[in-house]
Amino acid sequence: MESKLTSPSVVREVLAGLGIRPLKRLGQNFLVDYNLRERIVSGLEINPGDRIVEIGPGVGAITQGLLEWSEDVHAIEIDRALVGHLRSFFGPRLHVYEADALETDLKSLLGPAGKLVGNLPYYISTPLIAAVLQARPAVAVLMLQSEVADRLQAPPGSSARGALTLLAEYAADVEAWAKASPGQFYPPPKVSSQVIRLLPHPSPVALSWDAIRPVVAVAFRYRRKTLARALREGLGLTLQDATSALEAAEIAPQRRGETLSLAEFGRLAACLADRGSLPAQDDPDDAPN
Ligand code: SAM
Protein backbone atom coordinates (compact mmCIF):
# COMPACT_ATOMS: atom_id res chain seq x y z
CA MET A 1 0.00 0.00 0.00
CA GLU A 2 1.20 3.55 -0.81
CA SER A 3 2.40 5.38 2.33
CA LYS A 4 0.24 8.24 3.53
CA LEU A 5 1.93 11.54 2.75
CA THR A 6 -0.10 13.29 5.44
CA SER A 7 1.63 11.24 8.16
CA PRO A 8 4.19 13.32 10.12
CA SER A 9 6.59 10.36 10.36
CA VAL A 10 6.36 9.63 6.61
CA VAL A 11 6.95 13.31 5.74
CA ARG A 12 10.00 13.45 8.03
CA GLU A 13 11.30 10.19 6.53
CA VAL A 14 10.86 11.43 2.94
CA LEU A 15 12.63 14.71 3.72
CA ALA A 16 15.48 12.96 5.57
CA GLY A 17 15.87 10.53 2.64
CA LEU A 18 16.21 13.50 0.27
CA GLY A 19 18.59 15.29 2.63
CA ILE A 20 16.14 18.23 2.79
CA ARG A 21 15.76 20.52 5.77
CA PRO A 22 12.53 22.47 5.20
CA LEU A 23 13.47 25.86 3.82
CA LYS A 24 11.86 28.91 5.36
CA ARG A 25 12.76 30.96 2.33
CA LEU A 26 10.60 28.67 0.15
CA GLY A 27 7.73 28.67 2.66
CA GLN A 28 8.14 24.94 3.27
CA ASN A 29 5.61 24.05 5.97
CA PHE A 30 4.24 20.69 4.95
CA LEU A 31 0.68 19.65 5.72
CA VAL A 32 0.58 16.66 8.07
CA ASP A 33 -3.14 16.36 8.80
CA TYR A 34 -5.26 13.88 6.88
CA ASN A 35 -8.66 15.43 7.78
CA LEU A 36 -7.58 18.91 6.74
CA ARG A 37 -6.20 17.49 3.47
CA GLU A 38 -9.57 15.84 2.83
CA ARG A 39 -11.40 19.10 3.58
CA ILE A 40 -9.16 20.94 1.09
CA VAL A 41 -9.69 18.35 -1.65
CA SER A 42 -13.47 18.30 -1.08
CA GLY A 43 -13.58 22.07 -1.76
CA LEU A 44 -12.67 21.41 -5.39
CA GLU A 45 -15.76 19.19 -5.93
CA ILE A 46 -13.78 17.14 -8.41
CA ASN A 47 -15.66 15.35 -11.18
CA PRO A 48 -13.95 12.60 -13.18
CA GLY A 49 -12.02 14.21 -16.02
CA ASP A 50 -11.48 17.54 -14.23
CA ARG A 51 -8.10 19.18 -14.84
CA ILE A 52 -6.49 20.06 -11.50
CA VAL A 53 -3.48 22.37 -11.07
CA GLU A 54 -1.59 22.35 -7.77
CA ILE A 55 0.85 25.09 -6.77
CA GLY A 56 3.70 23.93 -4.54
CA PRO A 57 2.92 20.21 -4.04
CA GLY A 58 5.89 19.74 -1.67
CA VAL A 59 6.06 16.15 -0.44
CA GLY A 60 2.64 15.46 -2.01
CA ALA A 61 0.12 15.45 0.86
CA ILE A 62 -2.59 17.22 -1.13
CA THR A 63 -1.47 15.71 -4.45
CA GLN A 64 -2.09 12.20 -3.15
CA GLY A 65 -5.70 13.14 -2.32
CA LEU A 66 -6.19 14.78 -5.73
CA LEU A 67 -5.04 11.64 -7.54
CA GLU A 68 -7.78 9.64 -5.83
CA TRP A 69 -10.30 11.74 -7.78
CA SER A 70 -8.65 12.90 -11.00
CA GLU A 71 -6.28 11.44 -13.57
CA ASP A 72 -5.39 14.90 -14.86
CA VAL A 73 -3.35 16.48 -12.05
CA HIS A 74 -0.61 19.02 -12.86
CA ALA A 75 1.73 20.21 -10.12
CA ILE A 76 4.22 23.10 -10.15
CA GLU A 77 7.11 22.81 -7.69
CA ILE A 78 10.23 24.95 -7.54
CA ASP A 79 12.38 22.70 -5.33
CA ARG A 80 14.33 20.26 -7.52
CA ALA A 81 14.76 17.62 -4.81
CA LEU A 82 11.00 17.56 -4.16
CA VAL A 83 10.32 17.36 -7.90
CA GLY A 84 12.55 14.26 -8.01
CA HIS A 85 10.65 12.73 -5.09
CA LEU A 86 7.23 13.49 -6.66
CA ARG A 87 8.29 11.91 -9.97
CA SER A 88 9.54 8.75 -8.35
CA PHE A 89 6.68 8.47 -5.84
CA PHE A 90 3.76 9.07 -8.21
CA GLY A 91 5.32 8.05 -11.54
CA PRO A 92 3.45 8.93 -14.74
CA ARG A 93 0.14 9.44 -12.88
CA LEU A 94 1.27 13.00 -12.01
CA HIS A 95 2.40 15.76 -14.37
CA VAL A 96 5.13 17.60 -12.46
CA TYR A 97 6.70 20.87 -13.61
CA GLU A 98 9.91 22.08 -12.04
CA ALA A 99 9.11 25.78 -12.20
CA ASP A 100 8.35 28.98 -10.34
CA ALA A 101 4.55 29.24 -10.11
CA LEU A 102 4.84 33.02 -10.50
CA GLU A 103 6.49 32.54 -13.88
CA THR A 104 4.02 29.89 -15.04
CA ASP A 105 1.15 30.58 -17.41
CA LEU A 106 -1.59 29.34 -15.07
CA LYS A 107 -4.37 30.18 -17.52
CA SER A 108 -2.96 27.87 -20.21
CA LEU A 109 -2.28 25.11 -17.73
CA LEU A 110 -5.83 25.32 -16.33
CA GLY A 111 -7.41 25.19 -19.77
CA PRO A 112 -11.10 26.14 -20.06
CA ALA A 113 -12.41 24.58 -16.83
CA GLY A 114 -9.44 23.65 -14.65
CA LYS A 115 -9.53 23.86 -10.86
CA LEU A 116 -6.66 25.11 -8.73
CA VAL A 117 -5.38 24.20 -5.29
CA GLY A 118 -2.37 25.10 -3.18
CA ASN A 119 -0.99 25.33 0.30
CA LEU A 120 0.73 28.46 -0.90
CA PRO A 121 4.29 29.37 0.03
CA TYR A 122 3.57 32.31 2.32
CA TYR A 123 6.42 34.52 1.11
CA ILE A 124 4.70 34.99 -2.28
CA SER A 125 1.05 34.42 -1.41
CA THR A 126 -0.09 37.92 -2.42
CA PRO A 127 1.24 37.93 -6.01
CA LEU A 128 0.18 34.29 -6.37
CA ILE A 129 -3.42 35.06 -5.33
CA ALA A 130 -3.49 37.91 -7.86
CA ALA A 131 -2.19 35.52 -10.57
CA VAL A 132 -4.76 32.89 -9.61
CA LEU A 133 -7.64 35.39 -9.73
CA GLN A 134 -6.51 36.62 -13.12
CA ALA A 135 -6.21 33.05 -14.45
CA ARG A 136 -9.89 32.43 -13.53
CA PRO A 137 -9.97 28.76 -12.51
CA ALA A 138 -13.43 27.14 -12.16
CA VAL A 139 -12.72 27.12 -8.40
CA ALA A 140 -9.61 27.64 -6.28
CA VAL A 141 -8.93 26.29 -2.79
CA LEU A 142 -5.99 28.00 -1.13
CA MET A 143 -4.25 27.67 2.22
CA LEU A 144 -3.13 31.13 3.33
CA GLN A 145 -1.78 32.75 6.45
CA SER A 146 -4.78 34.09 8.38
CA GLU A 147 -3.72 37.69 7.93
CA VAL A 148 -3.94 37.38 4.13
CA ALA A 149 -7.18 35.38 4.28
CA ASP A 150 -8.67 38.14 6.46
CA ARG A 151 -7.52 40.77 3.99
CA LEU A 152 -9.30 38.95 1.18
CA GLN A 153 -12.55 39.01 3.14
CA ALA A 154 -12.26 42.49 4.70
CA PRO A 155 -15.49 44.53 4.29
CA PRO A 156 -15.52 48.29 3.52
CA GLY A 157 -14.37 50.21 6.60
CA SER A 158 -11.95 47.52 7.77
CA SER A 159 -8.29 48.49 8.09
CA ALA A 160 -7.41 45.05 6.67
CA ARG A 161 -8.84 46.13 3.32
CA GLY A 162 -6.31 46.61 0.50
CA ALA A 163 -5.87 46.43 -3.27
CA LEU A 164 -5.94 42.62 -3.11
CA THR A 165 -9.38 42.75 -1.42
CA LEU A 166 -10.78 44.78 -4.31
CA LEU A 167 -9.25 42.48 -6.92
CA ALA A 168 -10.81 39.49 -5.11
CA GLU A 169 -14.23 41.21 -4.97
CA TYR A 170 -13.94 42.04 -8.64
CA ALA A 171 -13.10 38.48 -9.66
CA ALA A 172 -14.64 35.99 -7.24
CA ASP A 173 -16.81 35.09 -4.29
CA VAL A 174 -14.50 34.45 -1.35
CA GLU A 175 -15.59 31.74 1.08
CA ALA A 176 -13.98 30.82 4.40
CA TRP A 177 -13.45 27.05 4.04
CA ALA A 178 -11.37 25.82 7.01
CA LYS A 179 -9.11 27.00 9.80
CA ALA A 180 -5.67 25.50 10.39
CA SER A 181 -3.38 25.63 13.40
CA PRO A 182 0.44 25.49 13.35
CA GLY A 183 0.45 21.89 14.69
CA GLN A 184 -1.11 20.66 11.45
CA PHE A 185 2.15 21.41 9.58
CA TYR A 186 5.74 20.21 9.72
CA PRO A 187 7.59 22.27 10.74
CA PRO A 188 4.87 24.35 12.45
CA PRO A 189 4.75 27.91 11.10
CA LYS A 190 4.70 30.88 13.51
CA VAL A 191 1.29 32.05 12.28
CA SER A 192 -2.15 30.48 12.01
CA SER A 193 -3.62 29.68 8.61
CA GLN A 194 -6.96 29.53 6.87
CA VAL A 195 -8.24 27.75 3.82
CA ILE A 196 -10.35 29.89 1.53
CA ARG A 197 -12.34 29.01 -1.54
CA LEU A 198 -12.53 31.35 -4.52
CA LEU A 199 -15.49 30.96 -6.86
CA PRO A 200 -14.95 33.25 -9.87
CA HIS A 201 -18.01 35.29 -10.85
CA PRO A 202 -18.71 37.64 -13.76
CA SER A 203 -17.48 41.15 -13.04
CA PRO A 204 -20.00 43.00 -10.85
CA VAL A 205 -19.04 46.41 -12.34
CA ALA A 206 -18.99 47.61 -15.95
CA LEU A 207 -15.33 48.67 -16.05
CA SER A 208 -12.41 46.30 -16.62
CA TRP A 209 -10.06 45.64 -13.71
CA ASP A 210 -7.28 47.38 -15.61
CA ALA A 211 -9.42 50.54 -15.66
CA ILE A 212 -10.16 50.41 -11.92
CA ARG A 213 -6.75 49.23 -10.75
CA PRO A 214 -4.85 52.56 -10.89
CA VAL A 215 -7.47 54.26 -8.70
CA VAL A 216 -7.45 51.40 -6.19
CA ALA A 217 -3.64 51.49 -6.15
CA VAL A 218 -3.52 55.22 -5.41
CA ALA A 219 -6.24 55.02 -2.74
CA PHE A 220 -4.30 52.36 -0.80
CA ARG A 221 -0.83 53.76 -1.44
CA TYR A 222 -2.00 56.87 0.45
CA ARG A 223 -4.39 55.03 2.73
CA ARG A 224 -3.94 57.46 5.63
CA LYS A 225 -4.91 60.45 3.50
CA THR A 226 -8.41 61.52 2.49
CA LEU A 227 -9.33 60.43 -1.03
CA ALA A 228 -9.11 64.00 -2.34
CA ARG A 229 -5.51 64.23 -1.09
CA ALA A 230 -4.67 60.69 -2.23
CA LEU A 231 -5.80 61.54 -5.78
CA ARG A 232 -3.81 64.75 -5.65
CA GLU A 233 -0.63 62.95 -4.53
CA GLY A 234 -1.06 59.86 -6.69
CA LEU A 235 -2.49 61.29 -9.90
CA GLY A 236 -1.04 64.79 -9.79
CA LEU A 237 -4.50 66.45 -9.80
CA THR A 238 -5.24 69.77 -8.14
CA LEU A 239 -7.22 69.41 -4.93
CA GLN A 240 -10.11 71.12 -6.69
CA ASP A 241 -10.13 68.64 -9.61
CA ALA A 242 -9.80 65.68 -7.25
CA THR A 243 -12.71 66.97 -5.14
CA SER A 244 -14.86 67.59 -8.16
CA ALA A 245 -14.25 64.07 -9.57
CA LEU A 246 -15.14 62.55 -6.20
CA GLU A 247 -18.30 64.63 -5.96
CA ALA A 248 -19.28 63.61 -9.51
CA ALA A 249 -18.91 59.98 -8.36
CA GLU A 250 -21.07 60.77 -5.28
CA ILE A 251 -18.21 60.03 -2.88
CA ALA A 252 -17.44 62.44 -0.03
CA PRO A 253 -13.89 63.80 -0.67
CA GLN A 254 -12.84 63.39 2.97
CA ARG A 255 -13.43 59.63 2.98
CA ARG A 256 -10.48 57.22 2.93
CA GLY A 257 -9.86 54.46 0.39
CA GLU A 258 -10.55 51.60 2.79
CA THR A 259 -14.18 52.74 3.22
CA LEU A 260 -15.04 52.43 -0.49
CA SER A 261 -16.99 49.55 -2.00
CA LEU A 262 -15.99 48.07 -5.35
CA ALA A 263 -19.00 49.81 -6.95
CA GLU A 264 -17.76 53.17 -5.62
CA PHE A 265 -14.25 52.54 -6.98
CA GLY A 266 -15.90 51.71 -10.31
CA ARG A 267 -17.83 55.01 -10.32
CA LEU A 268 -14.74 56.99 -9.35
CA ALA A 269 -12.58 55.34 -12.04
CA ALA A 270 -15.27 56.11 -14.65
CA CYS A 271 -15.44 59.80 -13.58
CA LEU A 272 -11.65 60.15 -13.60
CA ALA A 273 -11.39 58.45 -17.00
CA ASP A 274 -14.07 60.80 -18.42
CA ARG A 275 -11.95 63.74 -17.29
CA GLY A 276 -8.74 62.27 -18.76
CA SER A 277 -7.24 62.12 -15.26
CA LEU A 278 -5.95 58.54 -15.33
CA PRO A 279 -2.49 57.55 -16.55
CA ALA A 280 -2.54 55.83 -19.97
CA GLN A 281 -0.05 53.18 -18.83
CA ASP A 282 -0.32 50.93 -15.77
CA ASP A 283 1.89 52.02 -12.96
CA PRO A 284 4.28 49.09 -12.33
CA ASP A 285 4.20 50.07 -8.67
CA ASP A 286 0.56 49.19 -8.17
CA ALA A 287 0.74 45.45 -7.38
CA PRO A 288 -2.03 44.39 -4.98
CA ASN A 289 -1.10 44.58 -1.30
N1 SAM B 1 1.49 21.32 -0.76
C1 SAM B 1 2.45 20.86 0.20
C2 SAM B 1 1.75 20.58 1.50
O1 SAM B 1 0.63 21.06 1.67
O2 SAM B 1 2.33 19.91 2.34
C3 SAM B 1 3.58 21.86 0.42
C4 SAM B 1 3.16 23.24 0.85
S1 SAM B 1 4.49 24.30 1.32
C5 SAM B 1 3.58 25.48 2.30
C6 SAM B 1 4.81 25.28 -0.14
C7 SAM B 1 5.47 24.53 -1.29
O3 SAM B 1 5.63 25.45 -2.38
C8 SAM B 1 6.85 23.97 -1.00
O4 SAM B 1 6.93 22.66 -1.49
C9 SAM B 1 7.80 24.90 -1.76
O5 SAM B 1 9.00 24.26 -2.17
C10 SAM B 1 6.94 25.30 -2.94
N2 SAM B 1 7.29 26.59 -3.54
C11 SAM B 1 7.87 27.66 -2.95
N3 SAM B 1 7.99 28.68 -3.82
C12 SAM B 1 7.47 28.25 -4.99
C13 SAM B 1 7.31 28.85 -6.28
N4 SAM B 1 7.70 30.09 -6.50
N5 SAM B 1 6.75 28.11 -7.26
C14 SAM B 1 6.35 26.83 -7.03
N6 SAM B 1 6.49 26.21 -5.83
C15 SAM B 1 7.03 26.90 -4.82
Side-chain angles (χ1 to χ4, degrees):
M1 208 182 83
E2 205 175 66
S3 27
K4 272 196 177 174
L5 295 175
T6 46
S7 148
S9 58
V10 171
V11 169
R12 272 197 290 268
E13 216 171 275
V14 169
L15 294 173
L18 295 168
I20 291 184
R21 287 199 13 207
L23 289 174
K24 214 172 164 187
R25 74 176 167 81
L26 288 180
Q28 291 181 336
N29 302 100
F30 301 103
L31 183 63
V32 288
D33 188 294
Y34 175 80
N35 292 329
L36 184 53
R37 192 283 300 279
E38 291 292 280
R39 174 77 181 153
I40 291 169
V41 172
S42 74
L44 294 166
E45 299 178 17
I46 303 176
N47 298 306
D50 278 352
R51 159 76 54 100
I52 311 293
V53 174
E54 183 181 4
I55 294 178
V59 172
I62 299 173
T63 327
Q64 194 170 36
L66 299 173
L67 287 165
E68 288 174 13
W69 294 92
S70 168
E71 293 178 351
D72 193 15
V73 180
H74 298 250
I76 311 158
E77 173 58 59
I78 203 167
D79 185 316
R80 176 160 297 175
L82 289 173
V83 169
H85 151 74
L86 292 162
R87 288 200 171 121
S88 71
F89 190 89
F90 292 112
R93 285 188 294 156
L94 178 69
H95 305 271
V96 189
Y97 307 85
E98 183 187 336
D100 181 339
L102 277 177
E103 308 270 308
T104 304
D105 182 350
L106 295 176
K107 201 168 182 55
S108 303
L109 199 52
L110 284 162
K115 300 176 173 180
L116 189 138
V117 65
N119 171 9
L120 296 189
Y122 291 167
Y123 74 108
I124 45 167
S125 55
T126 298
L128 271 176
I129 295 165
V132 168
L133 287 166
Q134 273 153 353
R136 296 192 68 78
V139 53
V141 179
L142 304 176
M143 173 82 74
L144 304 169
Q145 66 267 50
S146 293
E147 186 203 336
V148 175
D150 289 345
R151 190 175 324 148
L152 282 178
Q153 300 167 88
S158 159
S159 60
R161 210 162 159 79
L164 188 67
T165 322
L166 272 300
L167 173 59
E169 280 177 20
Y170 184 87
D173 290 335
V174 182
E175 234 179 68
W177 190 248
K179 283 196 188 313
S181 55
Q184 291 171 301
F185 302 90
Y186 172 77
K190 292 211 164 61
V191 294
S192 65
S193 308
Q194 274 181 44
V195 181
I196 54 118
R197 211 157 81 115
L198 301 173
L199 297 157
H201 55 210
S203 159
V205 292
L207 263 62
S208 72
W209 175 249
D210 280 346
I212 298 174
R213 185 165 61 162
V215 185
V216 170
V218 161
F220 288 107
R221 196 178 309 143
Y222 301 100
R223 63 163 72 231
R224 288 177 205 288
K225 294 190 187 289
T226 64
L227 279 165
R229 288 180 193 281
L231 295 182
R232 183 182 68 171
E233 299 294 326
L235 298 177
L237 303 184
T238 63
L239 204 50
Q240 198 179 15
D241 285 348
T243 302
S244 134
L246 283 158
E247 282 170 351
E250 296 174 32
I251 296 166
Q254 68 276 17
R255 284 174 65 188
R256 288 181 168 70
E258 67 195 27
T259 70
L260 261 59
S261 66
L262 175 61
E264 288 174 316
F265 270 115
R267 287 208 307 271
L268 179 56
C271 288
L272 288 164
D274 282 350
R275 290 152 191 253
S277 301
L278 288 180
Q281 294 260 313
D282 280 350
D283 185 336
D285 217 25
D286 68 358
N289 53 43

